[in-house]
Amino acid sequence: MSNRDFFDAAGVAAQVTESDIQAVAAIKSLFDQPVFDRVTALLAACNGKVLVTGSGTSGSVARRAAHLLSVSGTPAFFLSPGDGLHGGLGALTTEDIILAFSKGGSSEELNDFCRRGRTLASHLVVITANPTSPLSQMADMVLSIPLAKDCDLGGVIATGCTLAFSALTDVLVEIVRRLRGYEWESFFFTHPAGAVGQQAVDSLKRLQKSGQR
């Protein structure tokens, strides 16, 4: 009889799902903190671009965040630490903001990138689970999510932490969109392709009818 005969797939699925739910729920602790309001106000007032960065799986979250910010009226772009340290840092101006994602904040490449980038941009904002890391210490503002140690598979595969980062990104995107006064008409103008564009007229009517800003 193999180990597969004793494998409780449903039990594992429930355990992983519950860990993910708890990780996402952990972002709620940030919402009544003054730093949360400062970060949203900073992003809304940015006259330049938001450079979003991260290494590994956090880099995938950062790439997603850059796209969603741009889609919602905040000009942003993703730049990996590696490309940044090979000259990409030259894209930064004094009106730009760096938004860095890192669970532990100990990646030497990311930290070197952010240390140099901070001298070129106006602010460095860090989203992390470690508020005392070297990366957090060099930041102007830190959004630290109190994640459980077992939120990731085996404590090493970035699962729960990246879900929490993504959920917090979604919150920031919507708040900043509203603070900037970026209307749905502008969204549909810059998103004419795909199913979203094809259904733009109906979607806009639905949003207007429901009173959603």
Side-chain angles (χ1 to χ4, degrees), residues 11-28:
V12 173
Q15 180 182 15
V16 173
T17 300
E18 184 59 30
S19 293
D20 287 347
I21 290 171
Q22 293 301 318
V24 171
I27 70 172
K28 294 180 179 179

Side-chain angles (χ1 to χ4, degrees), residues 30-44 141 143 172 175 179:
L30 299 175
F31 300 161
D32 59 356
Q33 295 182 18
V35 67
F36 181 77
D37 292 332
R38 292 200 299 270
V39 169
T40 55
L42 177 69
L43 293 173
M141 301 178 193
L143 292 177
L172 294 175
I175 291 176
L179 288 175

Side-chain angles (χ1 to χ4, degrees), residues 52-54 57-67 77-78 99-101:
V52 195
T53 190
T57 311
S58 291
S60 298
V61 174
R63 188 183 298 275
R64 174 182 182 273
H67 173 71
F77 66 100
F78 170 77
L99 177 62
F101 290 86

